Amino acid sequence: MGSPNIVLGPVLGVAAAAAVLVGAVIAFWARLGTARATVLAAGRAVLQLGAVSALLGAIVGSVGASAGFVALMVGVAAFTSARRITRHRSGWWAALPVALAPLPVTAGLVASGVVPANGVAIIPMAGILIGGAMTATSLAGRRALDELTARRGEVEAALSLGFLDRDAAIEIARPTAAQAMVPALDQTRTVGLVTLPGAFVGMLLGGATPIQAGAVQLLVLVLLLAVETVAVAVTVELVCRGVIHR
């Protein structure tokens, strides 16, 4: 039986370049407006992953250095969500939902022994959870603000009936913002039937048994549901209380 690992070499590079080219060409042909962004995103990914791979090789042996890298991840995620939600400086409040659940959950996993206290385990687990919280925060924040803008008349009508600012806003924004949970819910519902997520595939490629890979992936999925639920709920509160605005 051959090695389960992906073979690094020119063919892998050609396959990746072809995927980017196809995505860009189709986006251009369909006039989606994302052709240039596709190429730039792929280029950034190459540079960033190359730099991060070299950096991780130097810090994974230190828990302190790994914790510092996790803090950097939170900062980048918060910055990304802030820019997606609003150009106003209030967007930096996105750091709260991005970090509120992932950091305590990761610390709890390490303290309980579920995740080994080393960078090789801590950084990937924290990265998955922070990434999920970032996406949920961005989607929930944008949709809540868009809905409040589009339905401003309904908010004002509720205020005229005696609703508090927060209560009037949340009745309008919450249903739409909750749609930010749809990707995580669909991924969890269809895991194993439609998709084989990254943690599962990564463990298989690393030599784990299917049972081990499945157990880890299940843990990741339920943790993502919890983390993203917290992120969406906190983001909606921040928007509806006027903390994050445009």
Side-chain angles (χ1 to χ4, degrees), residues 58-148:
I59 69 173
V60 290
S62 168
V63 174
S66 298
F69 188 78
V70 170
L72 174 63
M73 294 164 70
V74 169
V76 174
F79 176 75
T80 301
S81 283
R83 288 179 60 85
R84 291 295 185 191
I85 296 171
T86 176
R87 295 291 179 172
H88 191 269
R89 63 178 179 273
S90 64
W92 275 107
W93 277 98
L96 181 60
V98 165
L100 186 60
L103 295 185
V105 167
T106 302
L109 292 173
V110 174
S112 65
V114 174
V115 172
N118 58 64
V120 175
I122 294 173
I123 292 175
M125 179 60 75
I128 291 171
L129 299 182
I130 293 168
M134 176 188 70
T135 301
T137 297
S138 299
L139 291 175
R142 284 177 65 92
R143 289 174 177 175
L145 287 171
D146 288 345
E147 195 74 354
L148 291 176

Side-chain angles (χ1 to χ4, degrees), residues 114-220:
V114 174
V115 172
N118 58 64
V120 175
I122 294 173
I123 292 175
M125 179 60 75
I128 291 171
L129 299 182
I130 293 168
M134 176 188 70
T135 301
T137 297
S138 299
L139 291 175
R142 284 177 65 92
R143 289 174 177 175
L145 287 171
D146 288 345
E147 195 74 354
L148 291 176
T149 299
R151 300 171 64 184
R152 182 61 193 170
E154 294 177 54
V155 176
E156 292 176 351
L159 291 173
S160 69
L161 293 174
F163 282 74
L164 298 176
D165 289 354
R166 178 264 182 191
D167 295 337
I170 205 164
E171 291 299 322
I172 301 300
R174 182 163 48 197
T176 300
Q179 294 177 16
M181 289 297 301
V182 169
L185 289 169
D186 284 350
Q187 184 180 43
T188 304
R189 290 190 185 108
T190 62
V191 65
L193 299 176
V194 178
T195 61
L196 292 177
F200 184 87
V201 174
M203 290 198 66
L204 287 180
L205 293 175
T209 67
I211 297 298
Q212 291 172 323
V216 171
Q217 184 62 70
L218 176 61
L219 175 64
V220 168

